Amino acid sequence: MFYLPLTASPLGWVILGVGGYALYKAGKKKGQDEVAASQITQPPDTEDKSKTTKTTA
């Protein structure tokens, strides 16, 4: 594994900041997508008249 002393230079801090912000935005978008998906509900079941059978006695 490579060792990069990113905290030793101002350019390293910029790289770490941009990378951290990108991770933050990706996580936030994923969270919003999960919330939107969890709010989708199925419509109530409707009876299909062709599937119901009537019995006469």
Side-chain angles (χ1 to χ4, degrees):
M1 182 161 226
F2 296 105
Y3 171 71
L4 297 173
L6 295 176
T7 58
S9 68
L11 182 61
W13 283 105
V14 170
I15 292 170
L16 288 173
V18 169
Y21 183 72
L23 286 173
Y24 163 75
K25 290 298 280 185
K28 187 174 180 180
K29 180 167 176 27
K30 183 177 179 184
Q32 288 175 344
D33 292 344
E34 288 178 359
V35 167
S38 70
Q39 291 178 348
I40 297 173
T41 59
Q42 296 293 332
D45 292 335
T46 56
E47 289 188 26
D48 189 6
K49 295 190 188 272
S50 64
K51 290 184 181 178
T52 58
T53 59
K54 294 183 181 179
T55 58
T56 56

